Amino acid sequence: MAWRPEYIPAYLSNGLIGLRAGPIPLTEGVAIVNGLAAIDPVEKGEGFARGPYPIAGDIELNGHKLSRLPLQAEFVEQRHDFACGELASRFRFRSGETTATVDVLTLCSRSLPSVVLQELHVSVDRPCRLVVTAKLDPTGIMGRWLARETSTPDSDTPLIDGSMLWEVHGALSTCGAAYITRFEGGDGVERRREEHDELAPLATSYTVDARPERAYVLQQFSSLVPSQSHHEPDRQAARLVGMATRRGFRKLRDENRDAWEEIWKGRIKLIGAGSHWQSLADAAYYYLHASAHSSSLFSTSMFGLAYWPNYHYYRGHVMWDIEAFTFPTLLLTAPQSAYALLEYRSQRLAAAERNAALHGYRGLQFPWASGPRNGEEVIRLSAPHLVFEQHVSLSVARAFAQYVHATGDDDYLREKAWPVLEGVAKWLVSRAVRTDRGYEIKEVIGIAEHTDPVDNNAYMNMAASVVLREAADFARRLNRADAPRWERIADGLYLPIDEARGFIRNHDRYKPEERGLAASTPEALAGIFPVDYPVDARLERATIDFYLARSGAYVGRPMLSALLGVYAARAGDRAGALRWFERGYADFVEDPFSETNEFSLRRFPDKPRVGPFMANLGGFLMSCLYGLPGLALSAAKPADWFTRPVELPEGWDAIEVDRLFVRGRPARLLARHGERRASLTID
């Protein structure tokens, strides 16, 4: 593989730590720590913060350093193994007549998820003086040192190579970091640490008179801990990295491989679709699961834990995309990770309650852009109209309801889901207005993000109706008295329908003759899928036909583009479904590591290369797992979750998943094209 200037580095993550590792990982890369928050220097508000780069290093040949002579490094190859979450890199470094070949193995541990592992194998082609260095490096990130240790308190012998306490810009939080190294290089190895410079990167160097006939191996264990997870994060990082070395590199690597083997049992197999589509599904599946973990306390963001300095508009905030697009696939394939995403919301209900009160409403109004520390609204001040984009609460509430349906966990219903459903239902009661048309929700901004608010946005009203019905059903199960009122509002929520053409209009002011981006955004279709608002077959078909006819102006943009193939399939257009998936998803996937961009690379070639964009890849996986098989979670028996025939894109014969988790038990999904219903076989 030849490295090209437009490529962005490989993304590795375990849901707690995210890395971008460049083609030469020792000298180029960034780290994100889940929950670490700073003041963004541009927006002046709370956003993500970079952590110290935990796998930095250097190679020195006869006094010449790679870090000082980067042009003398030759990139050879880099392989990202999605099966186990490992990145294998190879490069050569030449100094005079001597060349060192360096193989680098990097992974983020899933069994000890605060830890990153890296192993270097160095060989030389002639005798030389070789220095191999491991670093824990905050160079280039905003913040300051609060503490730097190379000794261990109450011990004459340091138990770790070093630790640091790093305060991020704005002093919102701190990051603790610690590392330990192990070196195999025969006799005569000289070990040196940077112990005296209080502002220097933590570094450990091993010097040896190297010979061509043997390899030199450096193992590096690094831990990153945010202050949101521990009040002494540097000391906790030291404890955790000590645990990592006691367990050993090989054991942690094996545990990581075992964890990924379990995850891949939920692989979504597209039978008959060909290797192109299967590889796209596999890459999406990998990046989704890499960005979430059962131990994550702070959910995940629009790009997971990925960052690269060319672009990061979303600042690491938790937004509606997580519950609407990221959560559904995790719910059935990795329910413990899905639980963690919801726990972020559950632990921040007070912020949603305060947010509702500030807007003059009761109950819970979840913020549009949620900050990781307290879950409060942190949307940029340069977009004040987005305070009207309030449908995030409906995605959050529906996700809690779906968790109950999928797991059958009545304790979770009482303790976790009910407070959310009740709170959002109360918010809807105070938000809806009684008129001669029924109940209306006025002054909102929908998925299309109009500049001006509209009344009765179709997606908003459809999702509100679904959430109120879910809340009413739970109220009856828990012997609460609210069900009749909530059902009355759900039944009466006004839905804007074009009487002449018989389709659902995006909002009250919407006119069929409108053109432009907002008019072509299929908001009403998103109410049909993935929200599963029930409509009769004629209205559904007319709405699909209307918006697909104008989606050419929309496709290539984020979020709903990945769903367009489902709508075409439901209309019986198999060839069209394949084309829409190609334009609405495949055209977003970029080389060299199959990351999903925010915008279509084909339609918007001048947009920055970013990724992996969770809403797009999550939308595609959700289309394959839910939309095409006709899977709609409910309180009914799992066999009754399928309510429509299986319609697949042209050439796709079936969708199979060997292991999903349904009501606490493993289950197998089989959806063959043309069958009246897909099936779940529960063990």
Side-chain angles (χ1 to χ4, degrees):
M1 177 189 73
W3 191 264
R4 298 173 60 176
E6 67 269 24
Y7 288 165
I8 53 177
Y11 166 55
L12 295 166
S13 180
N14 56 18
L16 273 72
I17 298 172
L19 302 178
R20 287 279 189 199
I24 299 179
L26 307 186
T27 58
E28 185 179 32
V30 299
I32 297 295
V33 183
N34 188 232
L36 191 65
I39 295 295
D40 184 86
V42 177
E43 295 293 342
K44 314 299 184 187
E46 180 181 332
F48 78 98
R50 286 174 57 184
Y53 188 51
I55 54 168
D58 210 348
I59 302 293
E60 181 179 326
L61 295 177
N62 296 324
H64 298 118
K65 291 186 176 182
L66 166 69
S67 58
R68 295 178 181 173
L69 300 168
L71 296 181
Q72 292 180 208
E74 175 193 4
F75 169 73
V76 178
E77 66 174 347
Q78 196 168 57
R79 293 177 289 105
H80 199 165
D81 190 345
F82 292 164
C84 57
E86 295 180 354
L87 182 70
S89 312
R90 171 174 285 190
F91 66 91
R92 299 188 184 97
F93 174 56
R94 179 181 295 274
S95 174
E97 298 298 318
T98 304
T99 299
T101 300
V102 184
D103 289 288
V104 187
L105 176 70
T106 310
L107 63 118
C108 297
S109 171
R110 289 198 72 90
S111 61
L112 196 56
S114 67
V115 171
V116 176
L117 307 174
Q118 185 159 274
E119 184 175 73
L120 276 65
H121 284 250
V122 185
S123 60
V124 297
D125 64 351
R126 64 189 63 217
C128 65
R129 190 71 167 168
L130 170 68
V131 183
V132 184
T133 301
K135 297 180 181 180
L136 193 57
D137 193 358
T139 302
I141 66 175
M142 295 179 291
R144 65 183 182 121
W145 296 91
L146 292 184
R148 182 184 188 277
E149 290 282 353
T150 54
S151 61
T152 300
D154 198 33
S155 176
D156 294 333
T157 304
L159 301 181
I160 62 172
D161 286 36
S163 68
M164 70 170 71
L165 182 62
W166 182 262
E167 183 182 77
V168 304
H169 178 65
L172 295 188
S173 57
T174 59
C175 182
Y179 79 115
I180 296 176
T181 59
R182 297 286 185 265
F183 186 77
E184 298 178 9
D187 299 328
V189 177
E190 301 173 12
R191 180 176 183 269
R192 180 180 181 275
R193 293 182 301 149
E194 182 56 72
E195 300 182 14
H196 305 295
D197 188 341
E198 294 183 351
L199 298 180
L202 291 165
T204 304
S205 297
Y206 294 88
T207 303
V208 64
D209 290 323
R211 306 188 306 272
E213 61 268 21
R214 70 163 302 155
Y216 301 89
V217 180
L218 173 65
Q219 293 179 344
Q220 182 173 352
F221 305 76
S222 299
S223 177
L224 300 177
V225 175
S227 56
Q228 288 90 328
S229 297
H230 197 281
H231 77 288
E232 293 180 325
D234 53 333
R235 295 173 67 87
Q236 184 67 358
R239 297 180 185 105
L240 290 167
V241 79
M243 175 183 286
T245 55
R246 290 296 296 270
R247 288 163 76 168
F249 193 97
R250 293 292 172 262
K251 180 175 176 60
L252 287 172
R253 186 184 183 190
D254 288 344
E255 290 174 352
N256 186 69
R257 286 173 169 253
D258 290 344
W260 274 107
E261 184 178 359
E262 283 297 306
I263 289 170
W264 279 107
K265 290 179 180 178
R267 182 190 188 203
I268 300 171
K269 295 185 287 187
L270 308 179
I271 308 303
S275 59
H276 166 66
W277 284 108
Q278 188 62 62
S279 66
L280 294 182
D282 288 346
Y285 190 86
Y286 167 75
Y287 287 119
L288 177 74
H289 288 81
S291 301
H293 195 283
S294 60
S295 295
S296 172
L297 302 178
F298 307 100
S299 190
T300 192
S301 71
M302 304 290 283
F303 294 109
L305 299 182
Y307 165 74
W308 194 241
N310 67 326
Y311 177 84
H312 207 287
Y313 188 81
Y314 295 104
R315 318 294 182 192
H317 302 148
V318 181
M319 303 180 76
W320 80 290
D321 309 58
I322 303 307
E323 285 79 21
F325 297 95
T326 304
F327 173 81
T329 299
L330 289 172
L331 174 59
L332 295 180
T333 59
Q336 292 177 338
S337 295
Y339 177 97
L341 296 185
L342 296 187
E343 193 66 7
Y344 169 82
R345 299 291 192 180
S346 185
Q347 292 181 4
R348 290 159 179 80
L349 296 188
E353 186 175 31
R354 293 193 299 268
N355 191 44
L358 288 171
H359 287 79
Y361 306 126
R362 298 174 58 233
L364 302 175
Q365 180 180 321
F366 289 92
W368 179 240
S370 176
R373 293 186 306 155
N374 303 310
E376 295 175 335
E377 181 66 79
V378 289
I379 192 65
R380 61 193 187 279
L381 297 181
S382 58
H385 64 288
L386 291 182
V387 297
F388 291 96
E389 195 158 2
Q390 298 169 0
H391 56 81
V392 59
S393 295
L394 308 177
S395 295
V396 174
R398 184 168 178 270
F400 276 87
Q402 291 212 315
Y403 186 89
V404 175
H405 296 328
T407 63
D409 189 338
D410 286 339
D411 289 336
Y412 189 89
L413 165 58
R414 288 187 295 269
E415 297 167 10
K416 299 287 188 178
W418 173 250
V420 175
L421 270 293
E422 181 187 37
V424 173
K426 287 181 176 179
W427 173 73
L428 284 169
V429 169
S430 66
R431 188 71 175 82
V433 178
R434 184 76 170 95
T435 72
D436 58 0
R437 298 196 296 186
Y439 289 91
E440 303 186 43
I441 300 177
K442 299 189 175 185
E443 289 192 306
V444 298
I445 289 178
I447 301 171
E449 297 189 349
H450 301 272
T451 301
D452 298 317
V454 299
D455 294 343
N456 296 311
N457 173 268
Y459 174 82
M460 179 82 174
N461 285 17
M462 295 162 85
S465 178
V466 168
V467 167
L468 285 169
R469 292 183 191 282
E470 294 277 24
D473 288 345
F474 289 158
R476 284 200 168 86
R477 288 171 63 176
L478 298 175
N479 296 314
R480 303 298 179 104
D482 304 285
R485 178 176 53 161
W486 294 344
E487 286 176 335
R488 184 170 62 252
I489 297 174
D491 290 340
L493 273 169
Y494 175 73
L495 191 62
I497 296 177
D498 186 282
E499 298 299 338
R501 301 179 62 170
F503 71 93
I504 303 171
R505 295 182 290 136
N506 275 348
H507 54 82
D508 259 5
R509 299 201 308 264
Y510 189 89
K511 293 181 174 56
E513 59 270 19
E514 288 184 30
R515 292 293 181 267
L517 175 58
S520 64
T521 303
E523 294 180 280
L525 290 183
I528 296 173
F529 174 76
V531 170
D532 296 322
Y533 178 86
V535 298
D536 65 59
R538 180 176 297 181
L539 179 59
E540 176 180 301
R541 179 60 185 269
T543 305
I544 288 174
D545 289 346
F546 177 81
Y547 288 103
L548 282 187
R550 55 181 51 206
S551 286
Y554 173 80
V555 68
R557 299 180 183 275
M559 292 183 293
L560 302 187
S561 288
L563 311 181
L564 294 173
V566 171
Y567 308 134
R570 289 188 175 184
D573 184 2
R574 299 188 70 192
L578 190 64
R579 288 194 302 271
W580 283 120
F581 276 133
E582 191 73 46
R583 298 176 63 192
Y585 185 70
D587 285 352
F588 289 69
V589 180
E590 58 189 343
D591 292 332
F593 301 115
S594 298
E595 290 192 37
T596 307
N597 208 308
E598 182 180 8
F599 288 86
S600 165
L601 297 166
R602 182 180 298 274
R603 185 168 181 196
F604 301 102
D606 296 330
K607 291 279 189 181
R609 286 178 171 262
V610 296
F613 194 71
M614 291 291 133
N616 292 342
L617 66 87
F620 178 65
L621 293 173
M622 184 171 62
S623 293
C624 296
L625 185 58
Y626 290 82
L628 295 172
L631 173 60
L633 301 179
S634 71
K637 295 178 181 179
D640 297 329
W641 286 351
F642 303 96
T643 58
R644 60 174 68 233
V646 179
E647 297 285 348
L648 302 183
E650 188 174 61
W652 296 22
D653 299 322
I655 294 175
E656 295 181 4
V657 182
D658 289 335
R659 191 188 68 184
L660 300 174
F661 292 97
V662 174
R663 304 280 166 88
R665 297 165 61 187
R668 182 175 184 271
L669 170 71
L670 176 59
R672 290 194 180 96
H673 173 72
E675 288 191 341
R676 182 174 174 273
R677 297 288 185 268
S679 64
L680 273 174
T681 304
I682 300 177
D683 293 345

